[in-house]
Amino acid sequence: MHTADKSVCDTLVIIPTYNEKENIAAIIDAVMELDGNLFDVLVVDDNSPDGTADIVKERMTVYPDRVHILERSGKLGLGTAYIAGFKWALQRHYAYICEMDADFSHDPKDLLRLRQAVAEHIGDVAVGSRYVSGVNVVNWPIGRVLMSYFASAYVRLITGMKVHDTTAGFVCYSRDVLENMDLDEIRFKGYAFQIEMKFTAYQKKYRVVEIPIVFVNRRLGTSKMSSGIFEEAFFGVIRLRWNSLFKKQKSVPKQ
């Protein structure tokens, strides 16, 4: 079991970016201003042509040793950005590793609740859930809300996971969860990555808990959603379930 160094932040927030110059400084500041100085930030930038990386580097001078950047050569996919961030975190001291969008669709204050759920052993994976207590989505077109809601219902049906928001991208993992996954075996690059990560944890008998949040559609910048993302998720779920029937996951003993 990993023990965090109490003299430093024990939680890393990974924020993948591509053209987020309108949001990135403000989201970093919002995380840094949270009570307790619990959180460091790692921005994984996919060579944004709008100068996102330069803004991050400026914030790094404001928050030395707490804000970091991992620059990649181009748009390589959401999933690979998070995998790169997870590996970066596991090479360091962090006890808890979080995922969060850059565009304020996730309220940074909710990081405290996600971390608390894992730190207090309520769950091994805490999901910021839009659907566990109704439909808590603001400013999305109704068609997109329905697509997202029924996509999660479809995932539950196919996989058997008791998770209402399987595509959620606001998540906190305990270090142990990521250490006991073969991150190089995570195959999906788009939003199906979020499903695959939760399903892998579920297959390993980790406890996945949902913390209700309110999701607010971005106000600044451009959405990265596309029809290809939903296609990958739809067919990817079938592949995940099919492969799980033939691949025995090694469960992790209860602590």
Side-chain angles (χ1 to χ4, degrees):
M1 177 70 72
H2 176 83
T3 301
D5 181 348
K6 298 303 182 184
S7 66
V8 294
C9 301
D10 66 3
T11 308
L12 182 69
V13 181
I14 303 171
I15 304 176
T17 56
Y18 184 77
N19 287 349
E20 291 289 355
K21 68 177 183 180
E22 297 94 345
N23 296 302
I24 192 60
I27 198 75
I28 290 171
D29 290 345
V31 176
M32 291 294 101
E33 290 165 6
L34 292 172
D35 291 341
N37 292 332
L38 295 170
F39 302 95
D40 286 353
V41 168
L42 173 68
V43 175
V44 183
D45 186 67
D46 277 4
N47 198 26
S48 299
D50 72 345
T52 296
D54 292 333
I55 298 171
V56 176
K57 291 171 184 175
E58 184 276 327
R59 301 322 283 163
M60 290 169 66
T61 67
V62 177
Y63 309 106
D65 301 320
R66 292 195 59 198
V67 175
H68 311 273
I69 189 167
L70 187 58
E71 295 181 86
R72 306 202 302 167
S73 60
K75 262 187 114 172
L76 302 175
L78 180 77
T80 62
Y82 275 127
I83 294 296
F86 294 156
K87 290 180 177 180
W88 190 95
L90 293 176
Q91 291 169 355
R92 291 161 177 83
H93 61 269
Y94 300 103
Y96 314 105
I97 297 96
C98 299
E99 307 176 356
M100 188 175 71
D101 290 348
D103 60 8
F104 284 95
S105 55
H106 305 137
D107 185 345
K109 293 185 180 67
D110 288 329
L111 285 167
L112 294 164
R113 295 194 295 133
L114 296 185
R115 180 194 172 281
Q116 181 181 23
V118 180
E120 295 183 356
H121 306 291
I122 296 168
D124 305 299
V125 180
V127 177
S129 179
R130 298 164 289 188
Y131 306 128
V132 71
S133 61
V135 178
N136 295 309
V137 177
V138 177
N139 293 337
W140 258 10
I142 187 63
R144 188 166 171 186
V145 173
L146 291 173
M147 183 179 294
S148 174
Y149 180 84
F150 285 109
S152 282
Y154 164 75
V155 173
R156 289 200 306 276
L157 176 66
I158 299 297
T159 65
M161 280 194 296
K162 307 302 181 186
V163 177
H164 292 80
D165 195 352
T166 53
T167 61
F170 195 23
V171 185
C172 182
Y173 296 92
S174 75
R175 183 186 184 92
D176 289 341
V177 172
L178 298 181
E179 284 183 327
N180 284 290
M181 285 187 185
D182 185 346
L183 295 174
D184 291 326
E185 288 294 312
I186 302 296
R187 296 302 181 198
F188 294 112
K189 294 184 178 181
Y191 280 79
F193 162 82
Q194 301 292 2
I195 301 168
E196 186 175 6
M197 287 294 296
K198 296 176 185 70
F199 186 63
T200 303
Y202 167 78
Q203 286 286 99
K204 288 180 174 292
K205 310 300 183 186
Y206 281 112
R207 296 162 300 157
V208 181
V209 297
E210 293 185 89
I211 307 301
I213 64 159
V214 175
F215 179 95
V216 180
N217 194 28
R218 69 160 64 232
R219 291 172 294 176
L220 300 172
T222 304
S223 173
K224 312 305 187 294
M225 298 296 286
S226 70
S227 59
I229 286 171
F230 289 106
E231 183 177 333
E232 181 196 45
F234 182 86
F235 292 107
V237 170
I238 297 173
R239 280 180 53 195
L240 283 176
R241 180 58 179 153
W242 178 260
N243 291 341
S244 75
L245 297 175
F246 299 99
K247 182 178 179 181
K248 180 74 172 176
Q249 287 279 3
K250 183 179 179 181
S251 62
V252 177
K254 299 295 183 185
Q255 300 297 321

